[in-house]
Amino acid sequence: MDFVIIENQFTQTVEDIAKAAGWSVDRKIILAIASTYVATGRTFDALKYNEVLQEIKKQTSWMSPLRANIGYSIAANIVEQDDVKQAVKNILVNEKILKEVKFKSGNFNFIAAQFLTKIESEKQAHAQTARALYEAIRKHHRFLTSFDDIPYAVLLSSPTDDVVLRAETMNCYYKELRTYYFNAGNELQWLSQVLTFISPQYDSNLVPSVVNIRDILKKQDVKVKTMHYPLLGFLAILQVNNVQIQQITDLYYELKGMKLLKWHREFVLFMAIQIAIYDMAKVQQSLSMSIMTSIELLIQAQQAAMMAAVTAAAVASNTSSS
């Protein structure tokens, strides 16, 4: 990997996206979109991106979450599709189906809408299974399970899924990870969910792999925060080796020196892992397409969670000062 090329591409892509999206879009959203473009080797097309944004406005009301920050992330995915009008319509139809099974409308529901099956005859069944999985997860972690788990419930379910088994396996991973000093909370729950991506059956190798990856990174002074937990899960699923972890570490330190990320250091490890995973996918073709697509959307889910936390903090601050 050429770090100079990566830095130049990232800098230019951030500038291009910021111009296209406008000043009102949160900087974290811009960085997240740019990170995905650089990681996948795609070139940002401002004209097509604006076409998607305009189509979203045509098909939604001014109160729609798609008009806010998360819509700019979703637009970056839609931009790759040939029929933009139909792509936006599909998101709205899928979100409506998720609401019909009692998932509450909002940022996370629209992220989850991207995971719903493309097979029309199976959409309703998929949504119902996702709701059943959500409830099964909630039985184990009543107070942790909330709106931010909706994308994972949809991503990890299928009409033929054994939701009870998958939820039990998630809980096993959660409890086991706690014994290795992972912090309890939403992020650990997301990690436990990610570990069932390949199979709902318990895999005794996955938690030791996650622990090993975390410990190697920490020994090299890489700041692994709770928000990074789910990405560790994808690395474990990909069965990364020590050489590949070192590549992530090297990239982490290169990106850490970028001026663009000076005030957004939480993105450094996100970007390093994302870029490294796509680089690995060129070699490991067996999992590439399904995992790469999911990682893009997973990062959106993480981004939405971060934005929700920022919004909640701002509201609390304004309330206390008034």
Side-chain angles (χ1 to χ4, degrees):
M1 284 182 279
D2 190 315
F3 299 124
V4 175
I5 291 176
I6 289 173
E7 181 171 356
N8 290 339
Q9 287 177 338
F10 185 64
T11 302
Q12 185 60 55
T13 305
V14 167
E15 184 179 329
D16 292 344
I17 294 171
K19 286 181 180 178
W23 64 270
S24 62
V25 180
D26 191 278
R27 188 68 170 178
K28 292 183 177 68
I29 294 289
I30 302 296
L31 294 173
I33 296 172
S35 175
T36 299
Y37 270 96
V38 173
T40 57
R42 287 150 46 194
T43 300
F44 180 73
D45 185 336
L47 290 176
K48 188 73 180 292
Y49 186 69
N50 276 310
E51 180 186 340
V52 176
L53 293 178
Q54 291 304 312
E55 189 58 43
I56 288 174
K57 287 183 179 180
K58 287 180 184 177
Q59 295 193 39
T60 61
S61 67
W62 69 277
M63 289 289 287
S64 171
L66 283 182
R67 297 280 192 103
N69 278 309
I70 199 60
Y72 290 89
S73 290
I74 292 174
N77 286 337
I78 294 176
V79 79
E80 296 298 311
Q81 300 188 36
D82 294 330
D83 190 338
V84 169
K85 183 177 181 179
Q86 186 60 46
V88 173
K89 183 179 179 181
N90 289 340
I91 293 291
L92 296 173
V93 168
N94 289 352
E95 197 272 339
K96 183 179 179 181
I97 291 172
L98 293 175
K99 280 197 294 187
E100 289 172 355
V101 297
K102 308 303 181 184
F103 280 129
K104 188 174 180 180
S105 184
N107 285 346
F108 297 103
N109 224 31
F110 279 101
I111 295 168
Q114 299 172 97
F115 288 98
L116 205 63
T117 180
K118 295 180 180 179
I119 303 172
E120 293 294 329
S121 61
E122 295 182 7
K123 285 182 184 290
Q124 194 69 36
H126 185 187
Q128 289 170 345
T129 305
R131 182 68 203 191
L133 176 59
Y134 179 87
E135 293 300 333
I137 295 170
R138 196 163 178 262
K139 285 182 180 179
H140 292 287
H141 297 280
R142 184 173 182 82
F143 298 108
L144 278 182
T145 308
S146 189
F147 310 133
D148 44 22
D149 292 290
I150 298 173
Y152 294 92
V154 178
L155 166 67
L156 296 169
S157 61
S158 68
T160 58
D161 201 23
D162 184 340
V163 297
V164 173
L165 173 62
R166 190 180 292 274
E168 288 175 349
T169 301
M170 290 173 182
N171 190 43
C172 286
Y173 287 141
Y174 185 96
K175 289 180 176 179
E176 190 177 351
L177 287 161
R178 285 288 291 133
T179 66
Y180 290 98
Y181 306 105
F182 280 82
N183 295 329
N186 291 335
E187 294 84 359
L188 184 59
Q189 174 152 292
W190 298 336
L191 168 55
S192 70
Q193 292 167 358
V194 167
L195 292 179
T196 69
F197 181 81
I198 300 299
S199 171
Q201 300 284 345
Y202 176 80
D203 184 339
S204 61
N205 295 316
L206 285 177
V207 168
S209 179
V210 170
V211 173
N212 182 57
I213 293 166
R214 179 201 63 181
D215 291 349
I216 291 175
L217 290 172
K218 284 194 169 184
K219 283 177 183 176
Q220 302 213 45
D221 293 325
V222 174
K223 301 296 183 184
V224 181
K225 299 183 178 181
T226 55
M227 69 177 67
H228 303 126
Y229 283 178
L231 291 180
L232 299 181
F234 274 95
L235 292 178
I237 289 168
L238 282 168
Q239 300 178 344
V240 295
N241 55 39
N242 289 355
V243 173
Q244 292 167 324
I245 297 173
Q246 185 60 52
Q247 290 175 346
I248 291 170
T249 302
D250 293 342
L251 183 54
Y252 170 86
Y253 278 107
E254 289 290 337
L255 294 171
K256 194 176 179 181
M258 290 182 61
K259 291 182 179 179
L260 278 174
L261 296 174
K262 183 177 181 180
W263 304 109
H264 303 283
R265 288 291 171 81
E266 70 274 17
F267 267 100
V268 177
L269 187 55
F270 267 120
M271 274 193 67
I273 290 176
Q274 191 181 13
I275 292 170
I277 283 175
Y278 276 97
D279 195 56
M280 293 171 204
K282 296 173 185 176
V283 179
Q284 300 182 40
Q285 292 297 318
S286 59
L287 298 174
S288 61
M289 289 310 296
S290 61
I291 283 194
M292 293 312 104
T293 300
S294 298
I295 284 176
E296 286 190 42
L297 299 175
L298 168 69
I299 290 174
Q300 286 188 27
Q302 296 293 103
Q303 185 63 34
M306 291 165 62
M307 292 306 301
V310 169
T311 301
V315 169
S317 175
N318 290 336
T319 302
S320 62
S321 62
S322 60

